[in-house]
Amino acid sequence: MTHITFKALTTADVTALQVLATQTFEETFRQHNTPEDMQDYLDRAFTTAKLQQELANPDSRFWFVLEEGNPAGYLKVNFNTAQTELKEATGMEVERIYVAAAWLGKGVGQLLLDKAIQAGAEQGCAYSWLGVWENNQRAMRFYEKNGFVPFDEHYFTLGTSVQRDVMMKRVY
């Protein structure tokens, strides 16, 4: 990695976010799901209207990590009622942390997670939490290495497939 920067996203970045979000989600999960389930999820989760709404929410924040000006990954964190679960004022959800396949294993994920933890600390949160697919052992090891511990579970529907996520928490 040569020149790394962060870019806080606004509603003006919706198209670039849509491209990267779709790309990274597909790269991460396509081999584990049917093409129909994947397409159904992508068509619902990453529409322009849905992403515009998420970007406009004052309790959600998005960043790109850029390498030489090109997006290598992105991060979405949620505070207060923007959280998908828990919704406690003392917590912050790391809802999305995705790295483009070309950048996996090069420290981009760590940069994004560090940015998330910094955002939570700056907001005065007592803890951060996230959900990670039970079969994504690489991600679970990464989060454990960074002080996250399992505390619960929830279910995530991707098309017709119901999948179990392990909920993990890191106390500040």
Side-chain angles (χ1 to χ4, degrees):
M1 291 190 296
T2 51
H3 185 67
I4 299 292
T5 57
F6 283 95
K7 177 182 180 0
L9 303 184
T10 68
T11 56
D13 298 301
V14 69
T15 301
L17 175 61
Q18 188 175 38
V19 168
L20 187 62
T22 301
Q23 172 196 334
T24 56
F25 192 87
E26 229 179 339
E27 288 173 346
T28 304
F29 298 112
R30 89 172 138 235
Q31 69 273 22
H32 304 289
N33 294 280
T34 68
E36 297 79 17
D37 283 347
M38 180 62 66
Q39 195 59 56
D40 176 71
Y41 181 79
L42 294 174
D43 289 347
R44 286 182 299 107
F46 301 124
T47 66
T48 301
K50 184 164 183 351
L51 291 174
Q52 283 278 16
Q53 182 181 28
E54 292 177 10
L55 285 162
N57 187 328
D59 285 333
S60 294
R61 297 194 184 95
F62 287 83
W63 290 272
F64 278 162
V65 63
L66 304 168
E67 200 279 332
E68 295 293 329
N70 299 309
Y74 82 103
L75 167 68
K76 178 187 182 195
V77 299
N78 297 316
F79 301 95
N80 302 312
T81 60
Q83 297 176 79
T84 59
E85 295 181 45
L86 303 187
K87 301 184 191 280
E88 297 173 351
T90 58
M92 178 195 71
E93 176 187 19
V94 181
E95 184 181 357
R96 297 184 198 138
I97 182 168
Y98 285 97
V99 176
W103 297 101
L104 288 174
K106 297 182 179 178
V108 172
Q110 188 65 58
L111 291 171
L112 289 166
L113 185 58
D114 291 347
K115 184 71 165 175
I117 291 167
Q118 175 189 0
E122 288 173 356
Q123 190 76 18
C125 293
Y127 66 90
S128 296
W129 70 274
L130 53 83
V132 61
W133 184 40
E134 68 181 330
N135 294 324
N136 192 344
Q137 295 300 310
R138 178 183 179 159
M140 288 178 70
R141 284 189 306 273
F142 170 72
Y143 294 125
E144 286 172 348
K145 180 185 87 166
N146 281 279
F148 285 81
V149 295
F151 73 97
D152 203 349
E153 65 182 37
H154 67 198
Y155 291 88
F156 177 82
T157 302
L158 193 141
T160 60
S161 175
V162 178
Q163 302 174 2
R164 185 174 81 89
D165 282 355
V166 175
M167 295 172 70
M168 303 180 80
K169 183 184 285 188
R170 179 184 190 273
V171 176
Y172 290 103

